[in-house]
Amino acid sequence: MFPAASLLTIIFLALSIAGSPVEIDNSPITLPIARRLNLSDGPINLLQRDKARVTALRDNSLSTQGGHTFSTPLINNAIGYLITVGIGSPATTYDLIVDTGSSNTWVGANTKYVKTKTSVDTGEPVAVTYGTGSFSGTEYTDTITLGTGLTIPSQSIGVASTSSGFPGVDGILGIGPLDLTNGTLTNEPLKTIPTVIDNLYSQGTISQKMFGISFEPTTSDLVTNGVLTFGGTDATKYTGSIAYTPITTTFPSSTYWGINESISYGSTTILSSTAGLVDTGTTLVYIASDAYAKYKSATGGTLDTATGLLLISSSQYKALKNLNFHIGSETYALTPNAQIWPRSLNSYVGGSSNAIYLMVSDIGTPSGAEVDVINGYTFLERFYSVYDTANSRVGFAKTSYTDATTN
């Protein structure tokens, strides 16, 4: 866990919330979201913190009670995306991590919960253990305000009496699948808790139970460049059409936003069709150990002890080929530039200023281990992604930044 007092470098993103369904040309509600680099221990040991989340995702063994399954959601404390939300009436503001890998919304890690006339104590104990943190406390229902005109009455929230592993933030806004809330109510372990997406839909605020996310490559420590849309997609953030693929049936990837995919480097297949998952809380792209070995050999990368990332020379960078993710009937190519850490941010991960580091890493188990790929932020900053709860599918589209050379 990290100390409560933290030195944070903030990369500001924009968060656009859409209350109207389907395609949105100009969202009437735009909220700020911050991409936080947690420098509480000095330069980020990115790989170590990233892998704490990856290991929990990969090794997530569900317990069973009465035939029902439970899982553990995860948080990566190295890099997070923060949204300021209001809770109560009058509202108190809280900075929450936006996370697709967990589904409980809770507050109180730093700023304490303030009861108002809209606060209702359900009396239910609630607790969640994450990959690198935890909280426990009491469930309340209250009004959440995400922006002018976008409120969620009677939203379940956890109010932490104790928490660990969340320096500089107040809690989480969980937008993962509903089933990730199973087992979090101590006295009602078989009960799920409606997420903010569920309630926006059931209350008629949005007409589709889905959300879209747009990130763009980030090369400086102060930039506004992200959009989250509830209830549909933002057509200004992608090109062409969105192609959907169903949630995989392979467990435990099926617990999250999991998909089936295969990978090729150039024209050479390095990973046959297998289960992976899409995760905003993981920074890098992780692939099965045997696929990683093939990728490492093909690129000529050597393991850099300072960062834990693969290091390549300028000549090796010029020789890089596309890393292709075959999902459904579509191919999504990470270009050579998309495979490298932004060189202007090398110092943040303890790297040399002129070095070139690859953002593909070893998941830690051979293929066939049921979570063989994690498409993290490295992938998502090059493609628009859509999370369709109602139809149990994930969609992708190219963007104007798919082939960007800014890294």
Side-chain angles (χ1 to χ4, degrees):
M1 303 308 167
F2 310 115
S6 60
L7 172 64
L8 305 179
T9 296
I10 301 297
I11 299 177
F12 290 101
L13 305 173
L15 175 63
S16 175
I17 302 295
S20 56
V22 198
E23 306 296 331
I24 298 142
D25 295 325
N26 294 292
S27 175
I29 303 171
T30 300
L31 303 176
I33 183 173
R35 182 186 180 214
R36 183 195 68 163
L37 302 183
N38 182 356
L39 301 180
S40 57
D41 299 330
I44 295 171
N45 188 330
L46 177 65
L47 199 68
Q48 179 182 356
R49 298 188 188 180
D50 220 23
K51 279 198 169 181
R53 181 179 178 100
V54 169
T55 299
L57 286 165
R58 185 199 65 205
D59 295 339
N60 184 18
S61 58
L62 302 191
S63 62
T64 301
Q65 293 186 18
H68 213 84
T69 56
F70 306 94
S71 66
T72 303
L74 307 311
I75 286 296
N76 175 2
N77 283 312
I79 297 179
Y81 301 90
L82 307 182
I83 179 176
T84 299
V85 304
I87 298 179
S89 179
T92 300
T93 58
Y94 304 89
D95 292 327
L96 305 183
I97 297 171
V98 178
D99 187 40
T100 59
S102 65
S103 301
N104 290 76
T105 292
W106 64 274
V107 299
N110 286 280
T111 303
K112 298 305 178 184
Y113 177 64
V114 177
K115 298 179 184 179
T116 69
K117 62 184 180 182
T118 55
S119 304
V120 177
D121 183 348
T122 70
E124 289 284 350
V126 59
V128 182
T129 299
Y130 300 88
T132 55
S134 65
F135 93 93
S136 62
T138 304
E139 182 197 32
Y140 278 69
T141 62
D142 210 336
T143 297
I144 289 185
T145 302
L146 296 175
T148 304
L150 186 61
T151 60
I152 310 172
S154 302
Q155 173 63 48
S156 170
I157 60 171
V159 174
S161 55
T162 62
S163 66
S164 62
F166 296 93
V169 301
D170 297 319
I172 296 173
L173 181 75
I175 53 176
L178 175 66
D179 285 349
L180 287 177
T181 65
N182 272 328
T184 60
L185 290 176
T186 306
N187 294 336
E188 296 187 79
L190 301 182
K191 182 179 179 180
T192 57
I193 302 171
T195 67
V196 292
I197 304 294
D198 294 318
N199 281 332
L200 283 170
Y201 179 75
S202 65
Q203 293 169 11
T205 307
I206 58 176
S207 63
Q208 295 187 94
K209 197 186 291 188
M210 64 190 302
F211 60 95
I213 296 178
S214 168
F215 294 128
E216 299 167 8
T218 299
T219 59
S220 67
D221 61 359
L222 186 63
V223 63
T224 300
N225 71 348
V227 171
L228 167 61
T229 302
F230 287 117
T233 61
D234 186 339
T236 68
K237 297 299 179 181
Y238 60 89
T239 60
S241 59
I242 298 170
Y244 289 92
T245 190
I247 297 294
T248 182
T249 58
T250 300
F251 176 84
S253 295
S254 56
T255 309
Y256 301 94
W257 294 108
I259 59 175
N260 293 325
E261 56 190 311
S262 63
I263 303 175
S264 62
Y265 179 74
S267 59
T268 303
T269 297
I270 63 172
L271 186 63
S272 299
S273 184
T274 188
L277 54 91
V278 185
D279 183 42
T280 60
T282 301
T283 305
L284 307 179
V285 167
Y286 288 84
I287 59 178
S289 297
D290 46 320
Y292 174 77
K294 295 174 184 176
Y295 177 77
K296 181 175 180 287
S297 175
T299 61
T302 58
L303 192 62
D304 178 68
T305 56
T307 64
L309 304 175
L310 288 179
L311 175 67
I312 59 173
S313 66
S314 296
S315 60
Q316 288 170 328
Y317 172 58
K318 292 177 182 178
L320 279 184
K321 300 177 182 179
N322 286 351
L323 185 64
N324 304 299
F325 295 78
H326 307 283
I327 302 171
S329 60
E330 301 295 323
T331 296
Y332 303 93
L334 286 184
T335 63
N337 188 262
Q339 295 171 53
I340 67 171
W341 178 258
R343 283 164 282 187
S344 61
L345 299 179
N346 278 357
S347 62
Y348 291 99
V349 295
S352 301
S353 59
N354 296 321
I356 303 175
Y357 302 103
L358 294 171
M359 293 197 289
V360 178
S361 191
D362 185 357
I363 205 169
T365 52
S367 57
E370 298 171 334
V371 179
D372 289 339
V373 184
I374 299 180
N375 302 81
Y377 177 75
T378 299
F379 179 87
L380 295 172
E381 68 181 1
R382 300 293 177 145
F383 300 100
Y384 189 77
S385 57
V386 183
Y387 306 82
D388 187 345
T389 300
N391 296 298
S392 299
R393 60 182 185 169
V394 177
F396 300 103
K398 293 183 178 180
T399 76
S400 58
Y401 295 92
T402 297
D403 299 323
T405 58
T406 50
N407 286 351

PDB file of all heavy atoms in Angstrom, residues 166-194:
ATOM      1  N   PHE A 166      -5.570   3.789  -1.216  1.00  0.00           N
ATOM      2  CA  PHE A 166      -6.164   4.796  -2.092  1.00  0.00           C
ATOM      3  C   PHE A 166      -5.679   6.198  -1.728  1.00  0.00           C
ATOM      4  O   PHE A 166      -6.458   7.063  -1.352  1.00  0.00           O
ATOM      5  CB  PHE A 166      -7.696   4.720  -2.026  1.00  0.00           C
ATOM      6  CG  PHE A 166      -8.229   3.421  -2.541  1.00  0.00           C
ATOM      7  CD1 PHE A 166      -8.463   2.365  -1.674  1.00  0.00           C
ATOM      8  CD2 PHE A 166      -8.477   3.243  -3.891  1.00  0.00           C
ATOM      9  CE1 PHE A 166      -8.934   1.152  -2.150  1.00  0.00           C
ATOM     10  CE2 PHE A 166      -8.945   2.033  -4.371  1.00  0.00           C
ATOM     11  CZ  PHE A 166      -9.176   0.984  -3.505  1.00  0.00           C
ATOM     12  N   PRO A 167      -4.383   6.448  -1.854  1.00  0.00           N
ATOM     13  CA  PRO A 167      -3.853   7.774  -1.512  1.00  0.00           C
ATOM     14  C   PRO A 167      -4.335   8.831  -2.497  1.00  0.00           C
ATOM     15  O   PRO A 167      -4.341   8.624  -3.708  1.00  0.00           O
ATOM     16  CB  PRO A 167      -2.338   7.585  -1.612  1.00  0.00           C
ATOM     17  CG  PRO A 167      -2.162   6.478  -2.598  1.00  0.00           C
ATOM     18  CD  PRO A 167      -3.325   5.541  -2.353  1.00  0.00           C
ATOM     19  N   GLY A 168      -4.778   9.958  -1.976  1.00  0.00           N
ATOM     20  CA  GLY A 168      -5.113  11.084  -2.827  1.00  0.00           C
ATOM     21  C   GLY A 168      -6.426  10.990  -3.554  1.00  0.00           C
ATOM     22  O   GLY A 168      -6.753  11.861  -4.364  1.00  0.00           O
ATOM     23  N   VAL A 169      -7.223   9.940  -3.303  1.00  0.00           N
ATOM     24  CA  VAL A 169      -8.540   9.816  -3.924  1.00  0.00           C
ATOM     25  C   VAL A 169      -9.558   9.484  -2.842  1.00  0.00           C
ATOM     26  O   VAL A 169      -9.213   9.095  -1.728  1.00  0.00           O
ATOM     27  CB  VAL A 169      -8.568   8.745  -5.030  1.00  0.00           C
ATOM     28  CG1 VAL A 169      -7.562   9.069  -6.133  1.00  0.00           C
ATOM     29  CG2 VAL A 169      -8.300   7.351  -4.466  1.00  0.00           C
ATOM     30  N   ASP A 170     -10.835   9.631  -3.202  1.00  0.00           N
ATOM     31  CA  ASP A 170     -11.894   9.442  -2.206  1.00  0.00           C
ATOM     32  C   ASP A 170     -12.623   8.113  -2.335  1.00  0.00           C
ATOM     33  O   ASP A 170     -13.396   7.748  -1.449  1.00  0.00           O
ATOM     34  CB  ASP A 170     -12.916  10.580  -2.318  1.00  0.00           C
ATOM     35  CG  ASP A 170     -12.289  11.929  -2.012  1.00  0.00           C
ATOM     36  OD1 ASP A 170     -11.488  12.002  -1.069  1.00  0.00           O
ATOM     37  OD2 ASP A 170     -12.584  12.904  -2.730  1.00  0.00           O
ATOM     38  N   GLY A 171     -12.406   7.388  -3.430  1.00  0.00           N
ATOM     39  CA  GLY A 171     -13.104   6.122  -3.621  1.00  0.00           C
ATOM     40  C   GLY A 171     -13.168   5.766  -5.082  1.00  0.00           C
ATOM     41  O   GLY A 171     -12.287   6.135  -5.868  1.00  0.00           O
ATOM     42  N   ILE A 172     -14.235   5.063  -5.464  1.00  0.00           N
ATOM     43  CA  ILE A 172     -14.356   4.520  -6.825  1.00  0.00           C
ATOM     44  C   ILE A 172     -15.748   4.766  -7.381  1.00  0.00           C
ATOM     45  O   ILE A 172     -16.746   4.635  -6.656  1.00  0.00           O
ATOM     46  CB  ILE A 172     -14.076   2.997  -6.823  1.00  0.00           C
ATOM     47  CG1 ILE A 172     -12.639   2.713  -6.403  1.00  0.00           C
ATOM     48  CG2 ILE A 172     -14.355   2.378  -8.185  1.00  0.00           C
ATOM     49  CD1 ILE A 172     -12.356   1.237  -6.212  1.00  0.00           C
ATOM     50  N   LEU A 173     -15.811   5.090  -8.662  1.00  0.00           N
ATOM     51  CA  LEU A 173     -17.050   5.031  -9.439  1.00  0.00           C
ATOM     52  C   LEU A 173     -16.940   3.785 -10.301  1.00  0.00           C
ATOM     53  O   LEU A 173     -16.224   3.763 -11.305  1.00  0.00           O
ATOM     54  CB  LEU A 173     -17.221   6.281 -10.310  1.00  0.00           C
ATOM     55  CG  LEU A 173     -18.503   6.330 -11.142  1.00  0.00           C
ATOM     56  CD1 LEU A 173     -19.705   6.659 -10.246  1.00  0.00           C
ATOM     57  CD2 LEU A 173     -18.401   7.379 -12.253  1.00  0.00           C
ATOM     58  N   GLY A 174     -17.606   2.697  -9.877  1.00  0.00           N
ATOM     59  CA  GLY A 174     -17.473   1.415 -10.564  1.00  0.00           C
ATOM     60  C   GLY A 174     -18.440   1.286 -11.727  1.00  0.00           C
ATOM     61  O   GLY A 174     -19.650   1.410 -11.552  1.00  0.00           O
ATOM     62  N   ILE A 175     -17.904   1.028 -12.925  1.00  0.00           N
ATOM     63  CA  ILE A 175     -18.750   0.870 -14.120  1.00  0.00           C
ATOM     64  C   ILE A 175     -18.494  -0.474 -14.797  1.00  0.00           C
ATOM     65  O   ILE A 175     -18.650  -0.626 -16.002  1.00  0.00           O
ATOM     66  CB  ILE A 175     -18.579   2.041 -15.114  1.00  0.00           C
ATOM     67  CG1 ILE A 175     -17.108   2.260 -15.477  1.00  0.00           C
ATOM     68  CG2 ILE A 175     -19.177   3.316 -14.544  1.00  0.00           C
ATOM     69  CD1 ILE A 175     -16.906   3.338 -16.541  1.00  0.00           C
ATOM     70  N   GLY A 176     -18.094  -1.464 -13.995  1.00  0.00           N
ATOM     71  CA  GLY A 176     -17.930  -2.809 -14.509  1.00  0.00           C
ATOM     72  C   GLY A 176     -19.258  -3.548 -14.539  1.00  0.00           C
ATOM     73  O   GLY A 176     -20.312  -2.997 -14.197  1.00  0.00           O
ATOM     74  N   PRO A 177     -19.243  -4.816 -14.955  1.00  0.00           N
ATOM     75  CA  PRO A 177     -20.466  -5.618 -14.995  1.00  0.00           C
ATOM     76  C   PRO A 177     -21.115  -5.768 -13.615  1.00  0.00           C
ATOM     77  O   PRO A 177     -20.436  -5.800 -12.592  1.00  0.00           O
ATOM     78  CB  PRO A 177     -19.977  -6.968 -15.529  1.00  0.00           C
ATOM     79  CG  PRO A 177     -18.734  -6.644 -16.300  1.00  0.00           C
ATOM     80  CD  PRO A 177     -18.087  -5.528 -15.538  1.00  0.00           C
ATOM     81  N   LEU A 178     -22.442  -5.884 -13.624  1.00  0.00           N
ATOM     82  CA  LEU A 178     -23.229  -5.965 -12.394  1.00  0.00           C
ATOM     83  C   LEU A 178     -22.765  -7.079 -11.474  1.00  0.00           C
ATOM     84  O   LEU A 178     -22.711  -6.911 -10.246  1.00  0.00           O
ATOM     85  CB  LEU A 178     -24.713  -6.159 -12.747  1.00  0.00           C
ATOM     86  CG  LEU A 178     -25.681  -6.394 -11.586  1.00  0.00           C
ATOM     87  CD1 LEU A 178     -25.763  -5.153 -10.696  1.00  0.00           C
ATOM     88  CD2 LEU A 178     -27.059  -6.775 -12.117  1.00  0.00           C
ATOM     89  N   ASP A 179     -22.426  -8.242 -12.032  1.00  0.00           N
ATOM     90  CA  ASP A 179     -22.101  -9.401 -11.200  1.00  0.00           C
ATOM     91  C   ASP A 179     -20.865  -9.200 -10.338  1.00  0.00           C
ATOM     92  O   ASP A 179     -20.643  -9.960  -9.383  1.00  0.00           O
ATOM     93  CB  ASP A 179     -21.931 -10.652 -12.062  1.00  0.00           C
ATOM     94  CG  ASP A 179     -23.265 -11.206 -12.542  1.00  0.00           C
ATOM     95  OD1 ASP A 179     -24.309 -10.739 -12.037  1.00  0.00           O
ATOM     96  OD2 ASP A 179     -23.263 -12.083 -13.424  1.00  0.00           O
ATOM     97  N   LEU A 180     -20.048  -8.202 -10.638  1.00  0.00           N
ATOM     98  CA  LEU A 180     -18.886  -7.935  -9.799  1.00  0.00           C
ATOM     99  C   LEU A 180     -19.282  -7.423  -8.416  1.00  0.00           C
ATOM    100  O   LEU A 180     -18.451  -7.363  -7.509  1.00  0.00           O
ATOM    101  CB  LEU A 180     -17.948  -6.929 -10.476  1.00  0.00           C
ATOM    102  CG  LEU A 180     -17.138  -7.454 -11.665  1.00  0.00           C
ATOM    103  CD1 LEU A 180     -16.319  -6.327 -12.283  1.00  0.00           C
ATOM    104  CD2 LEU A 180     -16.231  -8.598 -11.249  1.00  0.00           C
ATOM    105  N   THR A 181     -20.562  -7.041  -8.246  1.00  0.00           N
ATOM    106  CA  THR A 181     -21.026  -6.617  -6.915  1.00  0.00           C
ATOM    107  C   THR A 181     -21.466  -7.800  -6.056  1.00  0.00           C
ATOM    108  O   THR A 181     -21.748  -7.627  -4.871  1.00  0.00           O
ATOM    109  CB  THR A 181     -22.198  -5.621  -7.025  1.00  0.00           C
ATOM    110  OG1 THR A 181     -23.341  -6.279  -7.615  1.00  0.00           O
ATOM    111  CG2 THR A 181     -21.811  -4.407  -7.866  1.00  0.00           C
ATOM    112  N   ASN A 182     -21.536  -8.989  -6.634  1.00  0.00           N
ATOM    113  CA  ASN A 182     -21.890 -10.180  -5.859  1.00  0.00           C
ATOM    114  C   ASN A 182     -20.943 -10.353  -4.683  1.00  0.00           C
ATOM    115  O   ASN A 182     -19.732 -10.244  -4.821  1.00  0.00           O
ATOM    116  CB  ASN A 182     -21.793 -11.440  -6.740  1.00  0.00           C
ATOM    117  CG  ASN A 182     -23.076 -11.725  -7.471  1.00  0.00           C
ATOM    118  OD1 ASN A 182     -24.152 -11.441  -6.976  1.00  0.00           O
ATOM    119  ND2 ASN A 182     -22.959 -12.275  -8.672  1.00  0.00           N
ATOM    120  N   GLY A 183     -21.511 -10.644  -3.517  1.00  0.00           N
ATOM    121  CA  GLY A 183     -20.696 -10.947  -2.361  1.00  0.00           C
ATOM    122  C   GLY A 183     -20.150  -9.746  -1.629  1.00  0.00           C
ATOM    123  O   GLY A 183     -19.416  -9.905  -0.645  1.00  0.00           O
ATOM    124  N   THR A 184     -20.490  -8.524  -2.060  1.00  0.00           N
ATOM    125  CA  THR A 184     -19.938  -7.343  -1.402  1.00  0.00           C
ATOM    126  C   THR A 184     -20.800  -6.869  -0.227  1.00  0.00           C
ATOM    127  O   THR A 184     -20.306  -6.146   0.632  1.00  0.00           O
ATOM    128  CB  THR A 184     -19.741  -6.187  -2.410  1.00  0.00           C
ATOM    129  OG1 THR A 184     -20.996  -5.826  -2.991  1.00  0.00           O
ATOM    130  CG2 THR A 184     -18.771  -6.606  -3.506  1.00  0.00           C
ATOM    131  N   LEU A 185     -22.074  -7.256  -0.213  1.00  0.00           N
ATOM    132  CA  LEU A 185     -22.916  -6.989   0.954  1.00  0.00           C
ATOM    133  C   LEU A 185     -22.745  -8.152   1.925  1.00  0.00           C
ATOM    134  O   LEU A 185     -23.136  -9.288   1.634  1.00  0.00           O
ATOM    135  CB  LEU A 185     -24.379  -6.836   0.550  1.00  0.00           C
ATOM    136  CG  LEU A 185     -24.734  -5.580  -0.250  1.00  0.00           C
ATOM    137  CD1 LEU A 185     -26.206  -5.601  -0.662  1.00  0.00           C
ATOM    138  CD2 LEU A 185     -24.425  -4.311   0.536  1.00  0.00           C
ATOM    139  N   THR A 186     -22.155  -7.881   3.067  1.00  0.00           N
ATOM    140  CA  THR A 186     -21.748  -8.941   3.993  1.00  0.00           C
ATOM    141  C   THR A 186     -22.904  -9.845   4.407  1.00  0.00           C
ATOM    142  O   THR A 186     -22.768 -11.076   4.449  1.00  0.00           O
ATOM    143  CB  THR A 186     -21.109  -8.317   5.241  1.00  0.00           C
ATOM    144  OG1 THR A 186     -20.045  -7.447   4.833  1.00  0.00           O
ATOM    145  CG2 THR A 186     -20.572  -9.387   6.172  1.00  0.00           C
ATOM    146  N   ASN A 187     -24.069  -9.267   4.690  1.00  0.00           N
ATOM    147  CA  ASN A 187     -25.202 -10.046   5.188  1.00  0.00           C
ATOM    148  C   ASN A 187     -26.102 -10.589   4.079  1.00  0.00           C
ATOM    149  O   ASN A 187     -27.007 -11.375   4.348  1.00  0.00           O
ATOM    150  CB  ASN A 187     -26.041  -9.194   6.146  1.00  0.00           C
ATOM    151  CG  ASN A 187     -25.283  -8.834   7.408  1.00  0.00           C
ATOM    152  OD1 ASN A 187     -24.345  -9.534   7.798  1.00  0.00           O
ATOM    153  ND2 ASN A 187     -25.677  -7.736   8.047  1.00  0.00           N
ATOM    154  N   GLU A 188     -25.879 -10.152   2.858  1.00  0.00           N
ATOM    155  CA  GLU A 188     -26.658 -10.629   1.718  1.00  0.00           C
ATOM    156  C   GLU A 188     -25.724 -10.951   0.560  1.00  0.00           C
ATOM    157  O   GLU A 188     -25.730 -10.273  -0.470  1.00  0.00           O
ATOM    158  CB  GLU A 188     -27.687  -9.577   1.293  1.00  0.00           C
ATOM    159  CG  GLU A 188     -28.747  -9.281   2.341  1.00  0.00           C
ATOM    160  CD  GLU A 188     -29.836  -8.362   1.794  1.00  0.00           C
ATOM    161  OE1 GLU A 188     -30.727  -8.856   1.071  1.00  0.00           O
ATOM    162  OE2 GLU A 188     -29.778  -7.154   2.069  1.00  0.00           O
ATOM    163  N   PRO A 189     -24.915 -11.987   0.707  1.00  0.00           N
ATOM    164  CA  PRO A 189     -23.866 -12.267  -0.274  1.00  0.00           C
ATOM    165  C   PRO A 189     -24.372 -12.651  -1.657  1.00  0.00           C
ATOM    166  O   PRO A 189     -23.619 -12.599  -2.625  1.00  0.00           O
ATOM    167  CB  PRO A 189     -23.083 -13.420   0.374  1.00  0.00           C
ATOM    168  CG  PRO A 189     -24.059 -14.055   1.310  1.00  0.00           C
ATOM    169  CD  PRO A 189     -24.899 -12.937   1.829  1.00  0.00           C
ATOM    170  N   LEU A 190     -25.640 -13.058  -1.778  1.00  0.00           N
ATOM    171  CA  LEU A 190     -26.178 -13.428  -3.084  1.00  0.00           C
ATOM    172  C   LEU A 190     -26.807 -12.246  -3.812  1.00  0.00           C
ATOM    173  O   LEU A 190     -27.263 -12.379  -4.945  1.00  0.00           O
ATOM    174  CB  LEU A 190     -27.217 -14.541  -2.928  1.00  0.00           C
ATOM    175  CG  LEU A 190     -26.728 -15.840  -2.279  1.00  0.00           C
ATOM    176  CD1 LEU A 190     -27.849 -16.863  -2.247  1.00  0.00           C
ATOM    177  CD2 LEU A 190     -25.516 -16.394  -3.012  1.00  0.00           C
ATOM    178  N   LYS A 191     -26.824 -11.098  -3.181  1.00  0.00           N
ATOM    179  CA  LYS A 191     -27.500  -9.932  -3.744  1.00  0.00           C
ATOM    180  C   LYS A 191     -26.529  -9.090  -4.558  1.00  0.00           C
ATOM    181  O   LYS A 191     -25.411  -8.830  -4.136  1.00  0.00           O
ATOM    182  CB  LYS A 191     -28.103  -9.092  -2.620  1.00  0.00           C
ATOM    183  CG  LYS A 191     -28.882  -7.872  -3.100  1.00  0.00           C
ATOM    184  CD  LYS A 191     -29.461  -7.104  -1.918  1.00  0.00           C
ATOM    185  CE  LYS A 191     -30.224  -5.871  -2.375  1.00  0.00           C
ATOM    186  NZ  LYS A 191     -30.794  -5.125  -1.212  1.00  0.00           N
ATOM    187  N   THR A 192     -26.973  -8.650  -5.747  1.00  0.00           N
ATOM    188  CA  THR A 192     -26.195  -7.702  -6.527  1.00  0.00           C
ATOM    189  C   THR A 192     -26.678  -6.285  -6.239  1.00  0.00           C
ATOM    190  O   THR A 192     -27.805  -6.073  -5.794  1.00  0.00           O
ATOM    191  CB  THR A 192     -26.313  -7.980  -8.034  1.00  0.00           C
ATOM    192  OG1 THR A 192     -27.694  -7.939  -8.422  1.00  0.00           O
ATOM    193  CG2 THR A 192     -25.720  -9.337  -8.391  1.00  0.00           C
ATOM    194  N   ILE A 193     -25.811  -5.318  -6.501  1.00  0.00           N
ATOM    195  CA  ILE A 193     -26.109  -3.913  -6.250  1.00  0.00           C
ATOM    196  C   ILE A 193     -26.162  -3.187  -7.588  1.00  0.00           C
ATOM    197  O   ILE A 193     -25.168  -3.177  -8.320  1.00  0.00           O
ATOM    198  CB  ILE A 193     -25.025  -3.276  -5.366  1.00  0.00           C
ATOM    199  CG1 ILE A 193     -24.893  -4.031  -4.036  1.00  0.00           C
ATOM    200  CG2 ILE A 193     -25.324  -1.802  -5.128  1.00  0.00           C
ATOM    201  CD1 ILE A 193     -23.694  -3.584  -3.220  1.00  0.00           C
ATOM    202  N   PRO A 194     -27.296  -2.590  -7.951  1.00  0.00           N
ATOM    203  CA  PRO A 194     -27.370  -1.872  -9.235  1.00  0.00           C
ATOM    204  C   PRO A 194     -26.267  -0.819  -9.341  1.00  0.00           C
ATOM    205  O   PRO A 194     -26.032  -0.039  -8.421  1.00  0.00           O
ATOM    206  CB  PRO A 194     -28.756  -1.229  -9.196  1.00  0.00           C
ATOM    207  CG  PRO A 194     -29.556  -2.104  -8.287  1.00  0.00           C
ATOM    208  CD  PRO A 194     -28.589  -2.557  -7.236  1.00  0.00           C
TER     209      PRO A 194
END
